[in-house]
Amino acid sequence: MANIKPSLAKGTRDFSPKEMEKRNHIFNTLKTVFKKYGYNEIQTPTFENLQTLTGKYGEEGDRLIFKILNSGDYLSKAPEALLTEKASNKLISHISEKALRYDLTVPFARFVVMHQHELTMPFKRFQIQPVWRADRPQRGRYREFYQCDVDVVGSDSLLNEAEFVLIYNEALAALGLKDFTIKINNRKILTGIAEVIGKPELIVDMTVAIDKLDKIGLEGVNKELLERGFTEEDVEVLRPIILLEGTNQDKLASLKSVLAKSEAGLKGIAEIEEVFAYLTSFGMSALLNKVVELDITLARGLNYYTGCIFEVKTNEVAMGSIGGGGRYDDLTGMFGLKDLTGVGVSFGADRIYDVLEELNLYPESSAATTQLLLVNFDPACEAFLLPVLMQLRNEGVAVELYPAAVKLKKQMSYADSKGIPYVLLAGEEEIKSGELSLKDMRSGEQQKLNVEALIKYFK
């Protein structure tokens, strides 16, 4: 059998120990903030029943779901006509019953419905797990990536939306980001705009098109609107709405005028104003002026959002959104549990990783797990150091003993390449005197310590 050259599937990555330290720095920082706001962690399976996922993300999203072929001879039960026709879309339901999860929100909705009698409402959860999308890989966009979601179900209070703004602000600041924008909009405002131009049935087409403003520009959006059934007159009415400028208050005032005859539109404006009022009550007026931005083009092309929607972008690095989410009043209704409202946001961990990498924001400690390496000179040295090793570990020190009595240069090189900050040297003389040599690998300085002092030093 010929040797197969090892390769990665497109859109996936390996993570080295150093990279995992950095990723865990992100996850642990986020978890700390989530817990502070009263959220508890859950996990759901890697794959779900295909019918659980389809129809929840819109037409574009459904195409990006990774389907899993049924076990065994999966074509044996497929209709002959579809096989002859080579109609893959029609064939899917006959050969695939399961799929890799596309996001964490729909599995969460399924979880809530299945466990509704065990949960205390409102139920606040966070979840940090990988998701999969059959997207075209590019910088900052992967086919396998982690999502970090925070959701609350069973409460329609807009206090939740306001707290998500605080969570984004606190978590990203804790990771070292200094310049980012938390964009906010409301699907009811978008519904109102569609109503005002007399095309309420084309709300999804409109939102999918205007959501692409950043990527394809105004002319591209106009072209797509025309292709999706809007007229030149509709496009002209939409132009000033799409290009709204000024402060958040200026934009709200303009929208009140434009949407004066739309009940849904005015409700959306009132919800945004209530979120802003909560932020002011929190003493976060500065956040409203500098970080939070009302963006009418923000549509989040997912069919299940019904109220406020969010998207977060960093302004320090050229990168797509690093977070987003919104309210989904009827998501659990798809699984038979009616009238349970929810709202949630997500952090794009992989993009955040790249941003922190580019800005060099990882703490030094995240590069190394081992604090101290015990140098192994000979069997007598090893015998002396084994109980010392256990004493240090029992005190919570991350320490390792080099597993063989090889040349000192090789052991020091090992410590250096792993980023271990301290090395302990215990030769024949040190063992006799009880005074061991502790070397700081960064400064090169050495000091003599007995075992008791050594343990105290690292505690």
Side-chain angles (χ1 to χ4, degrees), residues 76 135 164 214-215 222 229 267 278 314 448 456:
S76 63
D135 218 339
F164 283 133
D214 282 353
K215 295 173 191 166
N222 289 345
K267 180 83 167 65
Y278 272 121
T314 171
K448 296 278 189 180
K456 200 171 180 182

Side-chain angles (χ1 to χ4, degrees), residues 377-427:
F377 284 112
D378 52 41
C381 168
E382 183 176 283
F384 172 79
L385 287 176
L386 285 172
V388 176
L389 176 73
M390 289 312 294
Q391 279 179 276
L392 285 161
R393 283 180 179 161
N394 289 339
E395 293 295 338
V397 183
V399 56
E400 55 184 294
L401 169 68
Y402 198 85
V406 297
K407 287 181 180 176
L408 179 61
K409 186 180 177 184
K410 187 172 183 180
Q411 297 187 54
M412 298 299 269
S413 175
Y414 173 82
D416 201 41
S417 66
K418 276 193 78 172
I420 299 172
Y422 293 95
V423 165
L424 187 76
L425 303 138

Side-chain angles (χ1 to χ4, degrees), residues 334-352:
M334 296 175 182
F335 300 119
L337 183 58
K338 300 287 184 187
D339 304 320
L340 187 67
T341 182
V343 58
V345 296
S346 176
F347 287 75
D350 293 271
R351 287 187 178 183
I352 291 171

